[in-house]
Amino acid sequence: MAKVIVVTSGKGGVGKTTSSASVAAGLAMQGYKTVAIDFDVGLRNLDLVMGCERRVVYDLVNVVKGEATLRQALIGDKRQEKLHVLPASQTRDKDALDFEGVGRVMQELVDMGFDYIICDSPAGIEKGAQLAMYYADEAIIVTNPEVSSVRDSDRIVGLLDAKTRRAKEGLDPIKCHLLVSRYNPQRAERGEMLSIDDILELLGIELLGAIPESQSVLNASNQGIPVVLEQESDAGAAYMDAVKRFLGEEQPHRFLEVEKKGFFSRLFSPTPRNAYAG
Amino acid sequence: MAWYEIFKREQPTTASVAKDRLQIIIARERRTLGRDADGEGRIAKLQQELLAVISKYEGVDLDQVSVKVDKCGNGEVLELNILLPEDELPDSDRLRTRAAFA
């Protein structure tokens, strides 16, 4: 049975699209037929992060309006056979999508045999974000260890509990998973950044993973590669751990603690206080 | 860290300040905007109206007003804490009202 997962956050710029791309690619790497849908109508970007921007012909709005078939709009990933992308439209018409039309597309994707449908939500709590979350069975809340992001995440959890199909039909509530991105364990240890424990205590949802602040995220998006494909990078490995945890595998959390340095590396490296730049 | 900083009183870290602030605002927004909202938002409305009344009085800093709702058995307890400016209330600087709701 297909599962619909919304990747959401409330706040913009915390890594929803990066996370959607990596979670979708990670699930495909694990052998599941997966589609990532960009719900950010007017500000399409998932295609760019996943490296298929030049192959976009039709989009979600075209399908909802019956101007193209779903098969015409779906873009198959060139690296992962099981990975597909359904891009957002660049239209400025805010009412281009409606709940019923999106529901039809979801049903058709289920009928096509997709195992996972990843909905990349736009920022905010307006209609676009509500459309992205409406049909979800589970939610991945992307949060940065920073006050405004944590507050907005709590608002989003409230909306997931109230404004979705599961809430309206009285089904089991959407299962929420927390994905903390741009985490810096050194700064958290020094008390300069909210720690994972702080965020978990504040939001009261289960931890799916922490993605370390890393150069590799930008390097990957620069090239249109979901960072999860770069398994030798810390962020890529962290995303894959999170995907495996999502699938129910036990995975130790590798990136929550400061790496303990050996005697020599401590001797020859600057103190952590001076080492931080930026 | 310079040697004389050893004698300084330990400051709370910015992360713990962030956590305290978030605890307060998140609890408030859960009551008013969903997640733990009570039936018709009765407490939220009461809280809002109380704050509106208090804000009419000059000199009261709304940052120094806390409205808390606790569950107590079957009832709810609304705790209102207002820190008044010292010159207005010399003997006791806190006016505390507790109202119980069945």
Side-chain angles (χ1 to χ4, degrees), chain A residues 40 45 58 63 85 92 94 120 130 134 138 182 191 213 223 233 245 250 263:
Chain A
D40 205 343
N45 272 319
Y58 296 110
V63 179
V85 181
R92 287 165 64 186
K94 283 196 163 180
D120 180 21
Q130 293 186 18
Y134 191 77
E138 303 199 27
R182 295 213 186 94
E213 197 173 37
Q223 304 170 78
S233 75
R245 260 180 233 120
E250 288 271 328
F263 174 74

Side-chain angles (χ1 to χ4, degrees), chain B:
Chain B
M1 186 171 88
W3 65 271
Y4 52 81
E5 285 181 41
I6 294 167
F7 300 103
K8 271 195 187 166
R9 198 160 58 93
E10 206 164 295
Q11 296 274 325
T13 62
T14 56
S16 69
V17 173
K19 189 183 174 189
D20 291 346
R21 291 173 57 219
L22 280 167
Q23 261 165 346
I24 293 163
I25 194 70
I26 284 178
R28 192 161 98 193
E29 289 181 346
R30 280 185 193 176
R31 282 199 304 277
T32 51
L33 302 166
R35 272 190 103 173
D36 305 335
D38 56 299
E40 301 105 61
R42 184 171 55 117
I43 304 286
K45 200 160 171 236
L46 175 62
Q47 174 181 341
Q48 207 175 10
E49 286 181 13
L50 282 169
L51 285 174
V53 171
I54 295 160
S55 66
K56 284 185 193 162
Y57 294 83
E58 265 179 56
V60 179
D61 179 1
L62 284 184
D63 277 337
Q64 301 297 324
V65 177
S66 81
V67 187
K68 227 170 72 182
V69 186
D70 284 325
K71 287 249 184 287
C72 182
N74 290 331
E76 279 170 306
V77 174
L78 178 82
E79 191 179 300
L80 181 62
N81 238 305
I82 308 169
L83 195 70
L84 292 176
E86 274 176 36
D87 52 321
E88 283 183 29
L89 207 62
D91 293 332
S92 138
D93 63 348
R94 257 161 201 250
L95 174 69
R96 197 169 216 217
T97 316
R98 280 174 81 96
F101 291 84

Side-chain angles (χ1 to χ4, degrees), chain A residues 133-160:
Chain A
M133 68 169 66
Y134 191 77
Y135 293 97
D137 299 305
E138 303 199 27
I140 295 176
I141 321 279
V142 185
T143 305
N144 285 171
E146 183 262 322
V147 285
S148 50
S149 175
V150 174
R151 180 197 205 173
D152 290 359
S153 292
D154 196 73
R155 291 288 310 276
I156 284 292
V157 174
L159 286 181
L160 287 163

Side-chain angles (χ1 to χ4, degrees), chain A residues 157-258:
Chain A
V157 174
L159 286 181
L160 287 163
D161 286 345
K163 299 241 167 185
T164 50
R165 180 184 69 97
R166 284 187 165 266
K168 299 221 158 119
E169 293 179 5
L171 302 169
D172 288 341
I174 290 179
K175 196 170 170 206
C176 293
H177 307 267
L178 176 68
L179 189 65
V180 178
S181 57
R182 295 213 186 94
Y183 191 59
N184 184 326
Q186 284 84 12
R187 300 200 74 192
E189 194 177 83
R190 291 201 297 270
E192 297 169 5
M193 179 182 269
L194 287 163
S195 71
I196 295 289
D197 288 337
D198 291 340
I199 301 169
L200 286 174
E201 191 188 323
L202 288 160
L203 294 179
I205 55 179
E206 168 241 341
L207 180 66
L208 183 65
I211 311 302
E213 197 173 37
S214 166
Q215 298 275 342
S216 53
V217 174
L218 187 58
N219 277 333
S221 73
N222 284 343
Q223 304 170 78
I225 302 168
V227 69
V228 73
L229 297 183
E230 318 237 294
Q231 275 299 292
E232 62 295 345
S233 75
D234 48 358
Y239 270 117
M240 192 45 109
D241 284 359
V243 166
K244 287 180 177 167
R245 260 180 233 120
F246 187 85
L247 293 169
E249 277 181 44
E250 288 271 328
Q251 287 288 327
H253 287 279
R254 290 191 273 174
F255 304 98
L256 303 190
E257 309 286 331
V258 179

